[in-house]
Every structure is written in C-alpha cells, then in structure tokens.
Amino acid sequence: MSGRVAIVETPRLIIGTWLPTDRDLFREINADPKVMEFFPFRRNHEEADAFLGKLNGMMTMEGMGFYAVVLKQTLQPVGFCGLSHPNLPGIFPDDAIEIGWRLATRFWGNGYANEAADALLGKAFRRRTVDTVVSFAVETNHRSTNVMKRLGMRRMQELDFNHPRVPDTHPHLKRHVVYAISRQEWQARRPA
Ligand SMILES: CC(C)(COP(=O)(O)OP(=O)(O)OC[C@H]1O[C@@H](n2cnc3c(N)ncnc32)[C@H](O)[C@@H]1OP(=O)(O)O)[C@@H](O)C(=O)NCCC(=O)NCCS
C-alpha cells in the first residue's frame, strides 16, 4: 500500500494517512453539491488541494485528525472520517472531541461511514483521557444523524445550538443537533 499508514483497520476498510493520489477523490467530495448540501461553503480544487496537504500533519497516532477511508479490496479512497476538537467556545469545552465523516456520494449506502466511525470511536475510547465523543449536524442532515444513531450515540437535545460560523445568508444551516456517546456506552455495545 505504497506509503499509506493505517491508523486502524476494519473488515472492509483501511483508515489512515492521505496519499497524493487521493487528490481527485478529495476534490470530488469538496465540490459535490450533494456532499456539501449542509455546509455554507464549497472548496474549489486549489482550496481542496491545500486542505488535503495539511491533513497528514494534523493527525495523531491516538486517532485525532481527518483520516482517509479506503476500501481494502480495491485500495480506492472513498472519503474521510475523523476526530477533532469542535473549537466552538461557549458551546463545547475546549477539550471536547467530535467525530465527523464525509464520503463521495457514489460510496453512500454501504455502511462505510458507520464502520470507519465505529473503529475511530474504539481508538478514542482506548485513550484513557477520552470519556465522551460528540457529533453534531444540521438538524435536517438525516443521513449524518442516522450514522450517529447507528453508532449508539444519544441525542443531547439540551446541547443543540445555532452554529456561530454559519453565516446569516444560510439560516437553514444554522440549527445543529447534538449526539454523544460515553466510553461506558460504547463498551456496553461491544460483544463480550
Ligand atoms: C453522512 C454520510 C457519510 C452518510 O453516508 P451513508 O452511506 O448514509 O452512511 P453509511 O456509510 O454509514 O451507510 C449507511 C447506509 O448503508 C446501508 N448499508 C448497506 N450495507 C451496510 C453494511 N454492511 N453495514 C451498515 N450499513 C449498510 C445502511 O442500510 C444505510 O442505508 P440507509 O441510510 O439507506 O438505511 C454521507 O451522507 C455524506 O458524506 N454526507 C455528506 C457529508 C456530511 O453531511 N457529513 C456530515 C456532516 S455533520
């Protein structure tokens, strides 16, 4: 797998570092209006390339960062999944950990986001410092909230918020719903 470093593997996926050859896929997911339906911005090719160039440097071996999600069978990249700090002061504590995902539309409907996220949650909860992982999405982004539900995340209605970085030009993208899962809840879902 020339050069790609896997952080975690699942039955169907390799979750790992990015390669220069992932550029076309990364451009695709950043420009596709269907993928970006719930984001108030798009990235053109140059911006996508610049962002991709930074991602490997933002990763830690404990699982923080936005990782490439790659099909084991074909070594095709399908999107990303990752853990990050939300950086939303006053809404989440500074050390909160968020999980997120984005796949190219042609790979939707196969359970890949679920499988990658479940593996990364495992990574997060094996760190003794991580007790809870949150996830949030525009309230109408049901594909994303369905991933959260399938992962066993709990709806935290009292934490729902209006995203401060969504401009007033996109009022329908402001309201975000929050889900969370604790280490104990995640462990309780593991087979004995
Ligand atoms: C959010 C997103 C990653 C979800 O993709 P997805 O394909 O629906 O989610 P999964 O990869 O977990 O696949 C689940 C689907 O695959 C189906 N599936 C097929 N085989 C499966 C398998 N072996 N295991 C689990 N699910 C499987 C499930 O039934 C489900 O389909 P359904 O929603 O029609 O019931 C995708 O819609 C996306 O990239 N959206 C744009 C970016 C975005 O909004 N990101 C989130 C921002 S908060």
Side-chain angles (χ1 to χ4, degrees):
M1 239 210 347
S2 66
R4 199 186 298 279
V5 179
I7 181 104
V8 59
E9 294 192 27
T10 70
R12 296 183 297 171
L13 304 171
I14 295 159
I15 295 143
T17 54
W18 295 90
L19 297 180
T21 47
D22 298 328
R23 193 182 68 169
D24 288 346
L25 181 280
F26 201 72
R27 287 180 171 188
E28 178 184 336
I29 57 176
N30 278 284
D32 183 340
K34 239 182 130 187
V35 176
M36 300 303 285
E37 180 180 351
F38 297 101
F39 297 88
F41 63 90
R42 305 281 178 275
R43 285 194 178 91
N44 63 31
H45 285 179
E46 290 70 33
E47 291 163 339
D49 293 352
F51 189 39
L52 178 62
K54 290 184 197 161
L55 289 181
N56 282 348
M58 291 162 65
M59 293 170 181
T60 71
M61 287 315 280
E62 292 81 31
M64 296 297 284
F66 294 110
Y67 291 89
V69 176
V70 178
L71 298 187
K72 258 187 185 169
Q73 213 165 31
T74 60
L75 298 186
Q76 264 180 300
V78 300
F80 71 72
C81 187
L83 298 166
S84 60
H85 296 296
N87 190 21
L88 289 168
I91 297 174
F92 294 104
D94 289 350
D95 59 354
I97 293 183
E98 170 199 0
I99 188 159
W101 33 70
R102 204 178 298 175
L103 302 183
T105 50
R106 59 203 159 97
F107 298 107
W108 290 7
N110 294 290
Y112 296 143
N114 201 74
E115 192 167 315
D118 198 35
L120 282 178
L121 282 180
K123 204 79 194 146
F125 288 131
R126 276 175 215 117
R127 288 173 69 187
R128 294 176 67 84
T129 48
V130 179
D131 286 322
T132 301
V133 174
V134 300
S135 193
F136 49 84
V138 174
E139 59 183 349
T140 50
N141 188 352
H142 301 299
R143 283 196 191 88
S144 191
T145 51
N146 282 343
V147 177
M148 298 171 200
K149 288 178 199 163
R150 278 193 295 270
L151 288 168
M153 301 187 91
R154 223 170 352 103
R155 176 96 159 81
M156 306 290 285
Q157 203 160 351
E158 67 282 11
L159 296 182
D160 289 358
F161 65 99
N162 293 324
H163 203 303
R165 288 195 291 275
V166 173
D168 292 340
T169 47
H170 295 68
H172 61 295
L173 300 183
K174 275 210 174 266
R175 193 71 186 158
H176 279 60
V177 293
V178 180
Y179 284 70
I181 187 165
S182 67
R183 185 201 282 120
Q184 276 180 338
E185 287 167 332
W186 183 82
Q187 275 169 346
R189 291 171 59 84
R190 302 292 91 202

